[in-house]
Amino acid sequence: MADVYRWRLAPDGLATRRQLRALGLRPGGQDVVAEVHRPRRRKAPLVAYLYRVDRAKPVRPMPPARAAALAAAMRARRTCPNCRTDARYCIPRSLGMCVPCHDTPTT
């Protein structure tokens, strides 16, 4: 059974996945050491799992092929299907096109 701590009361040396990632680390296959519970009104508490920082491993570097595939996917999300230009932001799925194309009335 993992130790359970209240919100903001976890000891030093333990971190969540996001905190490990900010340090350039990953859990590296280790089991969850503890949990942090954040109470909420009328709902079940939010739970965050904690890992030991000293057992964490460095993040693996991204392979060039994966970086290229990610760049292509993001480029596709930014390209408007109507005007075929790069909107420089992700096209909202609710609109289905860039904002200028959506706001321009069609006659």
Side-chain angles (χ1 to χ4, degrees):
M1 176 72 187
D3 295 332
V4 177
Y5 298 101
R6 288 189 53 84
W7 185 248
R8 297 181 188 247
L9 296 178
D12 292 336
L14 299 180
T16 63
R17 283 182 177 266
R18 284 190 178 188
Q19 291 169 336
L20 288 175
R21 188 62 175 210
L23 297 171
L25 301 171
R26 61 186 169 96
Q30 64 174 304
D31 292 331
V32 173
V33 176
E35 296 178 1
V36 174
H37 287 208
R38 180 178 180 201
R40 299 189 296 175
R41 292 184 196 173
R42 298 186 187 122
K43 291 184 179 179
L46 294 174
V47 178
Y49 300 110
L50 300 174
Y51 302 90
R52 290 185 48 172
V53 176
D54 59 345
R55 289 188 184 170
K57 296 180 181 178
V59 175
R60 295 184 197 116
M62 186 178 297
R66 187 170 184 182
L70 181 60
M74 291 306 294
R75 191 170 41 256
R77 290 184 65 192
R78 291 190 315 259
T79 304
C80 177
N82 282 358
C83 60
R84 299 283 184 206
T85 59
D86 186 351
R88 293 191 285 165
Y89 57 86
C90 288
I91 304 294
R93 292 180 65 191
S94 60
L95 301 179
M97 60 187 76
C98 67
V99 175
C101 287
H102 182 265
D103 291 343
T104 304
T106 56
T107 57

